[in-house]
Amino acid sequence: VVEVSEHLDNVAVWDRAGRLSGALHPEAVQEIASIVNPEHVEKVLATAHMVVTAPIRSRVSGELTALFAAPARVADQPVGVVVVSIRLERLHDLLDPGHDLHGGGVITLFDETGTIVSRSLDPARWVSDALAYYQSRLRHRCGMMCWLGGCRG
């Protein structure tokens, strides 16, 4: 957490029943709690994968953020959901920390609806643009890696 703290907006944990167990900034967890309700917790636990929701306006920083929700496990059994809120304007720094992609390389992160959450090249232009082409491919997935010439879910 120390290395990426400038990218984090908030971190929170919910139990299996969808009750908030704790948060880095408990005073500002409302925008996360409005999305991470018991139904959302069930969805994350059922998919067993990360679920990305964006954009969300943060009460901590006032910036647009993305929520990354993933199952928390103990002895390989799901016990709840961990949600990390990351500032969208800094997300591309986490995807390509050294900014050393080879010429023509681009990293693009989509949510499950096909909305671009972050892009390493010109992120301000692409964030929140929906790409209809990817929506059908993402219908049953929670994320996708794409590059010129192909996609892999």
Side-chain angles (χ1 to χ4, degrees), residues 7-123:
H7 300 85
L8 292 180
D9 199 67
N10 209 345
V11 178
V13 178
W14 274 262
D15 67 15
R16 284 185 63 97
R19 294 181 301 252
L20 178 65
S21 296
L24 181 64
H25 298 290
E27 73 283 357
V29 78
Q30 295 88 351
E31 73 268 4
I32 298 174
S34 68
I35 293 166
V36 183
N37 53 36
E39 293 80 22
H40 190 80
V41 168
E42 265 184 51
K43 175 183 177 182
V44 173
L45 293 174
T47 64
H49 298 288
M50 185 177 297
V51 175
V52 179
T53 307
I56 309 295
R57 178 75 57 195
S58 168
R59 292 185 188 188
V60 173
S61 64
E63 297 177 36
L64 290 177
T65 62
L67 300 181
F68 294 83
R73 299 183 179 282
V74 172
D76 207 33
Q77 295 298 312
V79 295
V81 171
V82 176
V83 179
V84 177
S85 175
I86 298 179
R87 295 178 180 120
L88 282 177
E89 101 175 10
R90 301 298 306 271
L91 184 57
H92 65 281
D93 291 333
L94 291 175
L95 298 173
D96 181 22
H99 300 283
D100 53 8
L101 281 175
H102 293 292
V106 176
I107 299 172
T108 304
L109 177 65
F110 299 88
D111 71 6
E112 67 270 14
T113 68
T115 300
I116 294 176
V117 174
S118 185
R119 192 162 192 260
S120 61
L121 180 66
D122 195 11

